[in-house]
Amino acid sequence: MRRTSWVLTGSAGILVAASAVTRFTVYPALHQVPADAKSTFRYEGTATLLDATALQAGDPGKAFLKDVPVTLDRSIEVEDTHGRTALVSDDAVLHGPDNAELSTSTHLWALDRRDLTERAAPAGSGAEKREGLVISWPLEPEKRDYRFWDTGTRSVFPATYEGTQSVNGREAYVYAITSDGPLADPATLKALPPALPRAAVVGLASALPEAQRPPQETLDALPATVPLTYTTATKRQGWVDAETGLSLDGTLHQTVLARTQSAEGPVTLFPVSDVDVRGAQASVRHQTDEATTTARLLWLLGTGGPLGLLAVALLLIALALWLARRRVRLATRVEETDTGVTTAAL
């Protein structure tokens, strides 16, 4: 019986150690961006785009694709990890009617695997420099403002906390980001003309609704070759799972405008793109299901599992103490019985 008590006590000690390892080693190791993380989120909506083919063909009147249905697929994949640092590719593809590819963008980021803020990029990785969040939110989001990197302007802007809403039964924090400024993304700038003939600019302007056209006197004063600069403005909203930090839903409205310098200052000539999309229902459902599964796993590893192991350990200790007391009581009874027999013999 004494051996049983020692076995129970030793087992309880092992369970206590297992509880600590689960909570303070296994849980932190898993509560970070996985080394094999890969996901794609789809947005749906409409876009008005400058049709470069029509423009090059000398037909500016048909150079705008207006309010065409589009999908935007944003794919995130961990390419490599170095301790707390993850190298993450961030690719976006905009498709139009008949699944025609309208535009693409590709980025590589170095980020912290827990709070997703910027990390020093490993030498030779090619990761872009940036500040703040860029692909998603910390694994434990808070009801506060964050700093978010805008790829179009290559600048940081505030992501403002706006409250809490429910997304498919999941509690979500809502954040809003508004950014604007000169277009600075090298890949986008490379795809846009630095200048256009005056006739092309006038033709594009005439294809716009009257309220959006630049003043006629501005068009008349343009040089034969019009130098162009570009600005971009973006409005985003994100619905972020309160428990896991997973993005559940989102909206994106992004515009790019062509401008030039007039005698009175910068003037907007015509829009290059106007994309207005929101998370597709199938992607939102997938994200909420993923958040539910992830939350259960994290609870099991961070709370349920460790507490369960501790509870079993306490039961084993209680059983060992009960057996020890029972052994003492039995020994006392035997001693009293032996004493009574001896007295009677005398």
Side-chain angles (χ1 to χ4, degrees):
M1 191 175 295
R2 183 173 300 174
R3 181 181 178 184
T4 301
S5 296
W6 281 109
V7 170
L8 292 173
T9 304
S11 298
I14 292 173
L15 290 175
V16 170
S19 174
V21 169
T22 301
R23 179 61 183 86
F24 299 109
T25 302
V26 177
Y27 175 77
L30 293 179
H31 192 38
Q32 61 182 356
V33 175
D36 60 349
K38 183 178 181 179
S39 66
T40 297
F41 188 88
R42 168 163 288 189
Y43 298 86
E44 296 176 337
T46 60
T48 295
L49 303 167
L50 189 62
D51 187 348
T53 302
L55 183 61
Q56 292 173 359
D59 190 357
K62 297 182 179 179
F64 289 107
L65 301 173
K66 298 181 180 179
D67 297 324
V68 296
V70 295
T71 60
L72 176 65
D73 292 326
R74 189 179 186 187
S75 299
I76 306 295
E77 182 175 3
V78 174
E79 302 290 345
D80 198 5
T81 57
H82 301 266
R84 280 279 297 269
T85 301
L87 284 175
V88 180
S89 62
D90 178 8
D91 302 328
V93 182
L94 184 69
H95 288 101
D98 301 323
N99 206 37
E101 187 176 292
L102 301 177
S103 66
T104 64
S105 68
T106 300
H107 301 278
L108 184 66
W109 313 109
L111 51 83
D112 187 280
R113 296 175 69 183
R114 294 179 186 170
D115 64 22
L116 277 70
T117 56
E118 68 275 12
R119 297 278 285 189
S125 66
E128 301 175 40
K129 292 184 178 180
R130 65 91 169 57
E131 301 175 42
L133 304 173
V134 67
I135 64 166
S136 192
W137 306 86
L139 302 186
E140 296 180 351
E142 301 176 13
K143 297 179 180 180
R144 65 174 179 87
D145 297 349
Y146 288 92
R147 300 167 72 244
F148 209 93
W149 183 254
D150 176 63
T151 57
T153 60
R154 295 175 66 84
S155 301
V156 66
F157 291 87
T160 305
Y161 171 73
E162 292 194 326
T164 302
Q165 294 182 8
S166 176
V167 178
N168 290 346
R170 299 287 306 175
E171 182 184 12
Y173 298 156
V174 185
Y175 301 92
I177 309 165
T178 299
S179 58
D180 62 85
L183 181 65
D185 179 56
T188 306
L189 284 172
K190 186 178 179 180
L192 296 174
L196 283 174
R198 177 180 176 277
V201 173
V202 172
L204 288 171
S206 64
L208 295 172
E210 185 174 355
Q212 297 180 22
R213 298 174 191 168
Q216 186 60 46
E217 56 269 24
T218 299
L219 296 176
D220 293 339
L222 292 175
T225 299
V226 183
L228 300 176
T229 59
Y230 299 91
T231 62
T232 180
T234 305
K235 290 185 177 181
R236 297 183 180 89
Q237 267 193 309
W239 284 258
V240 180
D241 188 69
E243 286 188 81
T244 65
L246 290 177
S247 294
L248 304 180
D249 195 2
T251 64
L252 173 69
H253 186 193
Q254 184 177 54
T255 60
V256 175
L257 303 176
R259 308 181 79 186
T260 194
Q261 188 71 25
S262 70
E264 291 75 27
V267 59
T268 298
L269 296 174
F270 53 84
V272 174
S273 64
D274 186 334
V275 179
D276 192 3
V277 292
R278 177 158 191 166
Q281 291 186 3
S283 285
V284 175
R285 285 196 301 270
H286 173 78
Q287 288 297 99
T288 52
D289 291 344
E290 188 75 13
T292 299
T293 301
T294 301
R296 288 172 180 168
L297 176 61
L298 293 177
W299 178 87
L300 181 63
L301 292 174
T303 303
L307 288 180
L309 291 171
L310 284 176
V312 175
L314 290 175
L315 287 175
L316 292 179
I317 291 173
L319 180 57
L321 291 174
W322 180 81
L323 289 175
R325 291 178 180 176
R326 183 170 179 269
R327 185 171 62 251
V328 170
R329 287 197 299 269
L330 289 175
T332 301
R333 289 176 184 174
V334 169
E335 183 179 348
E336 289 176 349
T337 301
D338 291 345
T339 301
V341 171
T342 302
T343 302
L346 291 176

